[in-house]
Amino acid sequence: MPSADPTADASTAVPAMADVNAGAGSNARSDAGSDVDSSTGADPDPAADSGASGHGEDTMDLRLPDELLAFVADETSDSHGAPRPDQGTAQPSVSTAASRAASALPTPSALPTEDDLLDRVADWGPTDTQAGVFHLVPVRVERDLPLISRWMNDPAAAVFWELSGPQSVTETHVLSQLTGDGRSVPCIGVLDGTPMSYWEIYRADLDPLARHYPARPHDTGLHLLVGAVADRGRGLGGLLLRAVADLVLARRPFCARVIAEPDIRNTPSIAAFLTAGFRFSAEVDLPDKRAALLVRDRSLRHVM
């Protein structure tokens, strides 16, 4: 596995991108699904307590308009349209209906559904960059494994990702994400139709990294490996990191920050992140390395 760092850096330096291979630490991926979510749900609705039974003294037994009943039924059913187990067939009381309708409204702290922790990376679509049209395509093992394994066996990548060796090593690493709960999505970066980089988009707030910095709900982490040697050392790392960080902020409305933590020794990778608009936040001690915690803030994306 890559180094212990869950947000292994994108190894592409601005000045010397040759090190764009520097990526996730070994703990980064293996750990990337074991942490507890730090986000919180909506506050309980006090109105629900007084009318939950439908028989309180202050509950009027009135019939609701059909339009409101349809709305409540829609909002209290599961994603397949079936009533939830706690939903009865009787007409809800006024107080019960109102509280359910209010609690169904989205709030800034609401989490996506468990199978959609990263807001459908597969649907993010392409984005224009100065180097061409770039597209993040979720990994398909049967199609992409040989290419990823070849990249991981490059000496420059092996130092930081620690996934060199037989193809099965990379396969185990990738499958651990694909068979997980969706908090980490491995992708191939395709530039003008050519696969040229490996990415991991993950929920930093749900990753063990969150134990080492003041995580916020929906913090999103990036790992990058620029595969071909010919694509390194010419500024692509910083360019693509900026494009993907902006894509994350555009497609994940609840995400306020994009996070990375390259090895503190990996100066080319750190330079690439800084060029991409990330700021240095702190040095943190992770299980397998000392890392530079780098942050790209939504509020500063137009000035950095």
Side-chain angles (χ1 to χ4, degrees):
M1 300 282 248
S3 54
D5 173 24
T7 30
D9 74 302
S11 348
T12 46
V14 164
M17 300 308 284
D19 190 359
V20 220
N21 305 318
S26 54
N27 280 354
R29 291 305 87 218
S30 57
D31 289 347
S34 58
D35 211 274
V36 179
D37 186 357
S38 59
S39 22
T40 59
D43 293 335
D45 187 345
D49 293 333
S50 61
S53 66
H55 299 290
E57 293 181 357
D58 59 347
T59 300
M60 294 189 298
D61 189 15
L62 298 179
R63 185 160 185 83
L64 298 175
D66 292 340
E67 293 82 357
L68 180 55
L69 288 176
F71 171 79
V72 173
D74 287 343
E75 292 298 331
T76 56
S77 63
D78 65 18
S79 59
H80 300 288
R84 293 195 176 110
D86 61 346
Q87 182 182 351
T89 57
Q91 177 184 331
S93 67
V94 171
S95 57
T96 302
S99 62
R100 285 181 178 174
S103 63
L105 297 176
T107 64
S109 60
L111 277 172
T113 57
E114 186 171 337
D115 61 348
D116 188 21
L117 294 175
L118 282 161
D119 298 294
R120 301 175 300 279
V121 175
D123 296 337
W124 287 4
T127 184
D128 290 326
T129 75
Q130 293 179 358
V133 178
F134 183 76
H135 196 179
L136 284 174
V137 181
V139 167
R140 281 171 37 196
V141 172
E142 66 279 7
R143 176 193 64 197
D144 302 319
L145 184 59
L147 180 62
I148 300 171
S149 181
R150 185 165 74 247
W151 288 343
M152 292 298 179
N153 274 281
D154 181 283
V159 170
F160 294 99
W161 285 80
E162 300 179 5
L163 291 174
S164 60
Q167 187 169 286
S168 59
V169 175
T170 299
E171 182 177 22
T172 299
H173 174 77
V174 172
L175 285 177
S176 68
Q177 298 170 76
L178 295 177
T179 59
D181 61 4
R183 67 186 65 190
S184 180
V185 178
C187 296
I188 294 294
V190 180
L191 184 62
D192 280 343
T194 301
M196 49 74 63
S197 53
Y198 172 73
W199 297 75
E200 292 172 350
I201 316 297
Y202 69 97
R203 284 287 296 272
D205 61 323
L206 304 182
D207 192 274
L209 174 63
R211 302 171 187 148
H212 303 278
Y213 84 103
R216 298 178 187 172
H218 297 282
D219 278 354
T220 303
L222 298 182
H223 297 153
L224 164 64
L225 164 65
V226 173
V229 175
D231 287 328
R232 303 174 197 160
R234 55 191 189 95
L236 272 179
L239 181 70
L240 297 181
L241 283 169
R242 179 180 290 272
V244 172
D246 287 348
L247 193 62
V248 169
L249 295 174
R251 298 293 188 264
R252 304 207 65 234
F254 293 141
C255 172
R257 307 186 302 178
V258 183
I259 306 295
E261 34 57 273
D263 192 302
I264 197 68
R265 301 167 299 167
N266 190 351
T267 52
S269 179
I270 293 173
F273 278 104
L274 295 176
T275 298
F278 286 72
R279 61 179 173 82
F280 177 83
S281 177
E283 288 188 21
V284 293
D285 287 314
L286 300 175
D288 288 346
K289 70 180 180 185
R290 186 162 181 79
L293 181 67
L294 303 170
V295 179
R296 180 155 172 73
D297 303 276
R298 177 183 292 278
S299 59
L300 300 177
R301 69 190 185 283
H302 297 307
V303 297
M304 294 183 66

